[in-house]
Amino acid sequence: MAGPGSLCCASRGASALLATALLYAALGDVVRSEQQIPLSVVKLWASAFGGEIKSIAAKYSGSQLLQKKYKEYEKDVAIEEIDGLQLVKKLAKNMEEMFHKKSEAVRRLVEAAEEAHLKHEFDADLQYEYFNAVLINERDKDGNFLELGKEFILAPNDHFNNLPVNISLSDVQVPTNMYNKDPAIVNGVYWSESLNKVFVDNFDRDPSLIWQYFGSAKGFFRQYPGIKWKPDENGVIAFDCRNRKWYIQAATSPKDVVILVDVSGSMKGLRLTIAKQTVSSILDTLGDDDFFNIITYNEELHYVEPCLNGTLVQADRTNKEHFREHLDKLFAKGIGMLDIALNEAFNILSDFNHTGQGSICSQAIMLITDGAVDTYDTIFAKYNWPDRKVRIFTYLIGREAAFADNLKWMACANKGFFTQISTLADVQENVMEYLHVLSRPKVIDQEHDVVWTEAYIDSTLPQAQKLADDQGLVLMTTVAMPVFSKQNETRSKGILLGVVGTDVPVKELLKTIPKYKLGIHGYAFAITNNGYILTHPELRPLYEEGKKRRKPNYSSVDLSEVEWEDRDDVLRNAMVNRKTGKFSMEVKKTVDKGKRVLVMTNDYYYTDIKGTPFSLGVALSRGHGKYFFRGNVTIEEGLHDLEHPDVSLADEWSYCNTDLHPEHRHLSQLEAIKLYLKGKEPLLQCDKELIQEVLFDAVVSAPIEAYWTSLALNKSENSDKGVEVAFLGTRTGLSRINLFVGAEQLTNQDFLKAGDKENIFNADHFPLWYRRAAEQIPGSFVYSIPFSTGTVNKSNVVTASTSIQLLDERKSPVVAAVGIQMKLEFFQRKFWTASRQCASLDGKCSISCDDETVNCYLIDNNGFILVSEDYMQTGDFFGEVEGAVMNKLLTMGSFKRITLYDYQAMCRANKESSDSAHGLLDPYKAFLSAAKWIMTELVLFLVEFNLCSWWHSDMTAKAQKLKQTLEPCDTEYPAFVSERTIKETTGNIACEDCSKSFVIQQIPSSNLFMVVVDSSCLCESVAPITMAPIEIRYNESLKCERLKAQKIRRRPESCHGFHPEENARECGGASSLQAQVVLLLLPLASSLFSR
């Protein structure tokens, strides 16, 4: 019998057992809180979904049939490795020939213009009715044509983008601030009429030519074909041909310029505003081959940018805008000490010239002041005489003529020019004078240098404005040549008559590049002598999708900013130096609006384009991108299969040249090929090699049309209409499309349409679905949700594609890609059905995606969500939703982060906005400014300074306020890629008060992963991982270093800085300002008071 002690022990034992049981229960709770997700179940779900979705994708795309058809032809196919150096040399030769034809057209215009001027005798009383581009076809209230506005027949022309033009005649635009019937303009227009015949003849010889023109030194602009110009809402046409880059570049040689600005106390008020605008106008005339700096002076010297003390910088857009920002901060005080400023300017020019970095050609000092008390001949004697290598241009600000003689003497004694500027309206015309002085040596030498501009968009031209409305702004380069006076009595004066030019759209260059030879990821690109991009698939000149606005620095994007992996500029510098060679590196190419990245090795081949300042490069990706294969079928077979209605070809590829003859311009590429093969158009020039491969692809892919048709006719198939489109593309740009639903029922109406640039073959890349499929393991599909351009990315479709390869030992060129597009809801339904399966015999699953304790996701190899229980998360980056899990996947190596850089980004910035001098060039503000000037004249003897200052502060002072703007910037951002070798992973994440478990399982034969996450542990301490770009901010020291840094560039080969026969006596004088003001006021007053 047990005693009390025994009972006590038993009681304690029971308590211990109870405690143990409770402990195990508690531990069980902990284990459950960790939610150990069974890997086997997730693997079952992934396998079930993978099998189902691949079956659907393979069935409706016809991938197995197409692979089989290509295999049948494999023995008849020859696989070749592309010789990159031979390819780039051939392309450069093609471009050289094309550029030569354009420059020859321009040369013929030069000869005709100079001959016409030589025969013309100036007549101050000449009356001549010409076609004024603004006034043509305009009538008065009585129905009569306006003077200079005769009937001018205009008809839409498909070669000129269906703009209404006159291909028989040119017409003439005269800037708003110039008088239409000024004798100089009337005489110039009269003798230049002879260019009409040459314009038409050029167009007949080379039907690919577009706009041809003559920009006169007098300011008028003759353009062929003739087109109607329309003023802006203020009745103004801002275009002046003389401040276009093509004009300035052709008229002058490269130059080093120091701009000296007087900021002494007498420059207060309107004078300082005019001085700032004068500096800004001078900056407008400087190009990428020029170098400059700006120094202000009173008792002391002040560099506008202190960081650039004692040196010059390249006059690219970024640097000029940087200096413009500093101009707004200038203020006037103290006494002007011009001698120290001149000494500094001469020293800078001398020192910089010895570095060998500048233009090594013309040098000039621009002096902007309201007076000089001396002629400073001792300084000029020390630095500049007798050679006078540095020209002095003096700008007298204000109406007083007291100091005019000193300033004029300084200009005349140093081969420069003097001018007086009293109003803002006078600025541009007076600044232009220096260009004609700098052009004298070139004119006397009679050197007609051919110049090519960098790529640019001139939105001020009427054709550009119309195209911007219809198609987006057009990037182009211009070939230009100067036109000189050949009259003997003017030879020593070196009179520039103007500049002729023609535009070459960059897309015309791309037509000479056989995209099919470059492979799936390959591309061609070209750069200028300064290393700036002429064409490159990564160049993004516009921003704000839909609005198509130009980035401020779009024309000076350096090659190193897009091929940024080349940190030492090996490729860039070799191309700038016009070398021929090869370079290789690993690159990270972004696709799909920059959200995805492809890591590959590129081989670059490069050479120069002779007769131009450009160099050409070709990038070929290693692997299948280096191989090309040739198939062979008969023309009869191919033609038969090209007739199928589902066949289309890449519109932007050049199979046949339809630009050469007007009767071919209406033809599509497919129509042109058919006519060419049937022998009906012997004048058509076509790429025989490419067409042979098109025929081969048409024959091999033809059976898929019947296959798709049988699927569509079988009503039991695709009964819920989940699959909507099947499509294929081949390496020759041939496409086939089949709709399984009516066109009006398509969920994504834009897919594979002309506007869907990323998903069709275009001039510089293969479709996105093709490029991504090529990087996928053969036989597997790549799935994705299209990204929208808006801030909220919500798509209702899923695209699946796979590549078709020819296997030949280690060489496996991708010959085609096929795919389908299906409804997102259909795709997601298949996923949820698969995730409800389990292997237990009793049908009771240990876990399900329906459970509240887990969250199930389907993500792709870049981490984007295709399926989530929260539909609003579709398309989001997984790291933003499950930051802790994504962080763990990165740590474990399942995904890797790739850092990318964007040197063409636009960032939001708070900036001071002001209605300053730039605004005063508006015609109404100019009118008010001119009116103020006249009133100031009347009462000058009373309160000259105060009146100017009061009017200036009232009407033209800067209204300083903060404004949020988009500014060019550099950004860093991440992209994410899955590690292919890791098929499945489980993990636990230790959080503050819980442990979060997850399982990730690859979906077979796809780029997808199923992720099942314990939802009971929130793990909020781990921040989300985002893909948002971060602006790279540079401290002041680094900013300064970047400003000073000058990349290797190649100077233009010709330089005409001086000529011993130059007549320097033509050096300006105080012009009759009153006459200019009256001319300005009359039309402006009429316009103002008629409103």
Side-chain angles (χ1 to χ4, degrees), residues 695-706:
L695 295 178
F696 178 82
D697 287 351
V699 170
V700 177
S701 64
I704 208 164
E705 182 190 18

Side-chain angles (χ1 to χ4, degrees), residues 387-455:
D387 296 332
R388 296 187 289 176
K389 288 290 181 71
V390 178
R391 297 179 188 269
I392 307 294
F393 296 94
T394 53
Y395 300 89
L396 176 60
I397 305 298
R399 52 160 301 284
E400 294 87 352
F403 299 109
D405 289 343
N406 284 347
L407 290 171
K408 184 173 182 181
W409 184 91
M410 291 162 65
C412 295
N414 294 279
K415 288 191 174 182
F417 201 86
F418 163 80
T419 187
Q420 187 165 4
I421 305 175
S422 295
T423 72
L424 285 159
D426 299 330
V427 171
Q428 184 166 305
E429 194 68 25
N430 283 296
V431 164
M432 288 293 163
E433 293 289 351
Y434 96 86
L435 294 174
H436 301 142
V437 174
L438 288 184
S439 70
R440 285 178 192 159
K442 183 181 280 195
V443 179
I444 298 170
D445 280 335
Q446 296 288 298
E447 288 286 347
H448 294 91
D449 298 325
V450 180
V451 299
W452 293 88
T453 67
E454 78 282 12

Side-chain angles (χ1 to χ4, degrees), residues 48-298:
F49 175 68
E52 171 81 353
I53 206 66
K54 184 185 178 182
S55 172
I56 292 167
K59 177 179 179 179
Y60 284 94
S61 68
S63 59
Q64 292 169 335
L65 171 65
L66 192 62
Q67 181 72 67
K68 179 184 174 187
K69 289 298 174 186
Y70 272 102
K71 289 290 284 183
E72 288 174 4
Y73 284 86
E74 192 175 30
K75 62 181 181 299
D76 300 321
V77 166
I79 296 177
E80 302 174 3
E81 187 167 355
I82 297 169
D83 184 332
L85 269 180
Q86 287 305 312
L87 177 62
V88 77
K89 287 177 183 177
K90 183 180 178 182
L91 296 185
K93 186 68 178 173
N94 292 343
M95 285 193 180
E96 180 190 333
E97 290 171 0
M98 189 267 282
F99 282 135
H100 181 70
K101 287 172 71 175
K102 310 301 180 192
S103 59
E104 282 304 298
V106 170
R107 196 178 299 280
R108 286 190 288 271
L109 287 171
V110 169
E111 291 169 358
E114 291 180 347
E115 185 66 24
H117 178 261
L118 183 61
K119 293 177 179 177
H120 177 73
E121 199 168 306
F122 184 85
D123 180 359
D125 300 318
L126 179 64
Q127 299 294 311
Y128 181 60
E129 282 281 316
Y130 61 90
F131 290 112
N132 184 292
V134 178
L135 300 175
I136 53 172
N137 301 329
E138 295 288 333
R139 297 175 186 265
D140 60 21
K141 58 184 178 183
D142 298 323
N144 300 315
F145 284 112
L146 296 178
E147 192 176 19
L148 303 182
K150 297 177 290 184
E151 183 179 13
F152 192 73
I153 297 170
L154 298 170
N157 188 295
D158 54 0
H159 183 63
F160 295 94
N161 300 95
N162 285 317
L163 295 172
V165 296
N166 186 318
I167 58 170
S168 300
L169 293 169
S170 61
D171 58 4
V172 174
Q173 174 264 344
V174 180
T176 302
N177 66 334
M178 302 190 75
Y179 180 39
N180 280 328
K181 302 185 84 173
D182 181 286
I185 287 177
V186 174
N187 275 266
V189 170
Y190 179 78
W191 66 255
S192 66
E193 280 286 333
S194 62
L195 293 179
N196 276 325
K197 190 170 74 171
V198 188
F199 285 143
V200 174
D201 179 56
N202 278 343
F203 190 40
D204 287 340
R205 291 182 188 219
D206 180 7
S208 67
L209 277 174
I210 52 168
W211 309 98
Q212 303 173 64
Y213 38 80
F214 168 60
S216 167
K218 301 300 181 185
F220 71 84
F221 180 69
R222 180 178 288 282
Q223 182 179 23
Y224 172 88
I227 189 171
K228 173 79 173 172
W229 287 58
K230 292 184 179 178
D232 64 18
E233 64 274 10
N234 295 322
V236 170
I237 291 177
F239 182 86
D240 186 326
C241 62
R242 295 167 301 173
N243 63 18
R244 302 292 100 181
K245 278 193 174 182
W246 52 265
Y247 184 99
I248 296 165
Q249 212 170 315
T252 64
S253 293
K255 50 199 168 291
D256 296 336
V257 176
V258 175
I259 304 171
L260 300 179
V261 186
D262 182 356
V263 290
S264 61
S266 60
M267 287 288 288
K268 280 183 179 175
L270 186 57
R271 290 180 184 175
L272 187 59
T273 301
I274 294 171
K276 290 177 184 178
Q277 185 56 38
T278 302
V279 175
S280 186
S281 292
I282 291 170
L283 292 181
D284 284 337
T285 67
L286 302 181
D288 296 330
D289 292 323
D290 302 323
F291 291 78
F292 78 104
N293 205 336
I294 305 174
I295 303 171
T296 65
Y297 69 92
N298 40 35

Side-chain angles (χ1 to χ4, degrees), residues 788-851:
S788 66
T789 53
T791 52
V792 179
N793 176 57
K794 295 299 164 235
S795 178
N796 294 317
V797 293
V798 174
T799 303
S801 60
T802 188
S803 62
I804 308 298
Q805 294 186 315
L806 274 180
L807 303 177
D808 176 36
E809 300 170 354
R810 62 183 181 82
K811 304 173 185 176
S812 55
V814 172
V815 295
V818 293
I820 61 170
Q821 191 165 89
M822 62 192 114
K823 291 178 182 174
L824 177 60
E825 176 270 331
F826 167 80
F827 179 82
Q828 291 182 337
R829 192 165 69 245
K830 297 293 182 184
F831 175 82
W832 294 123
T833 300
S835 68
R836 293 188 181 99
Q837 297 187 23
C838 59
S840 60
L841 296 175
D842 59 3
K844 293 181 180 179
C845 302
S846 59
I847 190 171
S848 165
C849 284
D850 294 330
D851 295 351

Side-chain angles (χ1 to χ4, degrees), residues 532-546:
Y532 298 150
I533 291 170
L534 182 69
T535 179
H536 192 292
E538 299 296 322
L539 177 65
R540 305 192 312 275
L542 307 176
Y543 71 101
E544 288 197 4
E545 199 79 30

